[in-house]
Amino acid sequence: MAIGVLALLGFQLVDSAFIARLGTSPLAAQSFTFPLSFLIIGVQVGLGIAIAALISRALGAGERARSRRLGSLVLIVGTLVIAGLALALWWAQAAIFLRLGAAPDALALIRSYWGPQLVAAWLGAVLYFGYSLFRAHGNTRLPGTLMVVTSLANLALDPLLIFGLGPWDGLGLPGAAWATVMAFGLGLTVLGRRLAGTNWLAVSGLAGELCRSARPFLGIAGPAMIGQLMPPLAAMLAISVVAWLGESQVAAWGLASRLETVSLMVVLAMTMSLPPWLGRCYGAGDWEQVHRLMRLALQVAVLWQLALGVGLALASPWVAGALAGTPDVRDDLSILLRYLPPSYAALGVCMLVVSAGNALGWPLRSMLMSAARLFVCYLPALGLGAWLAGLPGLALGAAIGNLLAGLAAWGLLRRILGSPRRQGVEVQ
């Protein structure tokens, strides 16, 4: 699963690296779309968390017929919800991007990319719901394999559609989005054929199941989506602060955001693969196994992210030189990489605690933890740092915010799992 997540996030970073070769303006235009793309991802992840939690709990309790009905419902509802959101974001794009700090003359460039990117986001969401269904049934191999396949397809199509071939000049910035559309379309074709060979979906009893499961589904998906929507909102506020610093800073921030998701690949893989197992333990009342799983996941996250983060910070001039297309963007990106990657160890702790909370029956606390991380720890420190010292202060403030959030999440986890009915073994 970690390899699949690395491949999926890696092609997004390479997308930005290719676009950086087009110039600072196309890269900045793509960077302005990141918060809205994260908004769609936040909704789909929130729905995916509910999918995995409810189906894994049903399987843990031996309710296989119900798990099939739930599988059908969430695929239908999730597809329609993301389609409606994509249409709303297309209709309101001009007002949103202007408020994020985009210059009026950049709107045409953004619009040419945003249309196919929304199509790609919808296809990616449907694919993600399919992945969630497979993970809920304990199959992480197929999602991981398809992530690799779609990533390789995207990487092969990117240079062709962006830069062209022979006498054809390519599509430029929109070519990156169309490459993703074609890659996700390939993934959906394979996933659909594999899903048709399973017995995980039902066609009857859906109306009754919808009435029965709507409340527990919303009880998980609602807080989870709110929690997942907070990062896009924070990203919108953050990029509006960065836009105040200048276009090259926006471009560098966009590259740093892509690199952040790649460097968090192990944590992101665990946030997708861990909840189904935790949900089964929750359904069976096996809190001792919950303690063991969480302790192992946190140890892996902290050690991996610290090692990777320090390495990226030390190699920041060379990493920035490989990714950036212009000297200004390269210098700004190098500054960001000196401070941000080591703090992702603490960010990883917070992400795991939030993900576990939705599977273990405390989604409201997970939502509040997400809110505290972003609006109490991260954004105030980022904004204060930018006001005091420009881009270096912004980077240092963001790192301090991640550290504070990680410490708060660790304290919350110890307090919850330390309650008498959840004490299997002591969390070290």
Side-chain angles (χ1 to χ4, degrees):
M1 194 69 192
I3 295 174
V5 174
L6 172 62
L8 183 64
L9 299 177
F11 93 67
Q12 295 175 349
L13 178 62
V14 173
D15 262 1
S16 296
F18 279 134
I19 291 171
R21 286 354 186 224
L22 296 174
T24 301
S25 293
L27 182 58
Q30 188 204 31
S31 299
F32 277 114
T33 68
F34 287 166
L36 299 187
S37 296
F38 293 155
L39 176 66
I40 298 174
I41 293 172
V43 173
Q44 80 182 41
V45 170
L47 293 173
I49 288 171
I51 293 170
L54 286 183
I55 294 178
S56 61
R57 289 181 192 179
L59 290 171
E63 299 176 331
R64 295 194 172 273
R66 186 185 181 209
S67 73
R68 290 193 290 270
R69 294 192 297 270
L70 287 170
S72 297
L73 282 175
V74 294
L75 288 178
I76 296 170
V77 172
T79 299
L80 294 176
V81 168
I82 298 300
L85 177 60
L87 290 173
L89 291 177
W90 172 257
W91 176 76
Q93 60 178 295
I96 294 173
F97 289 126
L98 287 174
R99 281 174 172 78
L100 290 180
D105 56 0
L107 290 181
L109 184 59
I110 294 174
R111 184 184 182 91
S112 69
Y113 174 78
W114 189 230
Q117 179 60 24
L118 282 173
V119 177
W122 178 73
L123 292 174
V126 178
L127 195 57
Y128 179 83
F129 297 144
Y131 292 162
S132 297
L133 188 58
F134 274 85
R135 290 198 309 272
H137 284 269
N139 184 340
T140 59
R141 182 181 297 273
L142 180 66
T145 302
L146 281 183
M147 287 178 186
V148 173
V149 170
T150 55
S151 299
L152 292 176
N154 186 88
L155 290 176
L157 292 168
D158 255 343
L160 174 64
L161 295 183
I162 294 174
F163 303 112
L165 182 67
W168 182 50
D169 293 332
L171 300 175
L173 177 60
W178 285 117
T180 307
V181 168
M182 297 172 69
F184 283 164
L186 172 64
L188 274 174
T189 301
V190 176
L191 185 77
R193 297 186 66 174
R194 288 295 299 272
L195 192 57
T198 67
N199 190 29
W200 295 346
L201 300 177
V203 295
S204 61
L206 298 184
E209 187 61 46
L210 180 62
C211 296
R212 175 188 176 186
S213 299
R215 179 172 292 181
F217 182 82
L218 292 175
I220 298 173
M225 279 193 291
I226 293 174
Q228 293 293 328
L229 290 176
M230 290 177 191
L233 176 58
M236 293 179 192
L237 296 174
I239 204 167
S240 66
V241 173
V242 179
W244 171 73
L245 298 175
E247 186 179 59
S248 67
Q249 286 79 10
V250 171
W253 184 259
L255 283 173
S257 298
R258 288 300 199 197
L259 189 59
E260 174 183 320
T261 55
V262 173
S263 67
L264 286 165
M265 61 176 179
V266 172
V267 174
L268 289 168
M270 287 192 289
T271 62
M272 289 188 284
S273 58
L274 190 61
W277 294 104
L278 292 175
R280 292 194 181 197
C281 294
Y282 178 88
D286 188 357
W287 287 100
E288 183 175 348
Q289 182 67 6
V290 169
H291 280 257
R292 286 198 294 265
L293 288 171
M294 286 304 302
R295 183 167 59 245
L296 177 61
L298 292 172
Q299 288 172 349
V300 170
V302 171
L303 293 176
W304 167 259
Q305 292 303 148
L306 274 179
L308 181 62
V310 171
L312 286 173
L314 293 175
S316 58
W318 297 278
V319 175
L323 295 176
T326 63
D328 289 344
V329 175
R330 179 196 62 212
D331 294 342
D332 291 335
L333 180 59
S334 180
I335 292 172
L336 293 173
L337 295 182
R338 292 173 199 165
Y339 297 98
L340 291 176
S343 72
Y344 296 156
L347 177 58
V349 171
C350 190
M351 292 170 62
L352 284 173
V353 171
V354 170
S355 177
N358 290 294
L360 295 175
W362 23 284
L364 181 59
R365 288 173 177 169
S366 294
M367 182 189 71
L368 294 176
M369 184 68 247
S370 294
R373 174 178 84 83
L374 294 167
F375 301 107
V376 177
C377 301
Y378 179 74
L379 281 175
L382 179 148
L384 180 61
W387 180 67
L388 292 175
L391 190 66
L394 179 145
L396 179 59
I400 292 173
N402 287 335
L403 177 60
L404 294 175
L407 293 174
W410 172 243
L412 175 66
L413 181 68
R414 287 184 64 89
R415 185 164 60 252
I416 291 175
L417 292 186
S419 65
R421 77 181 187 89
R422 290 170 175 162
Q423 281 182 337
V425 294
E426 183 183 359
V427 178
Q428 300 294 327

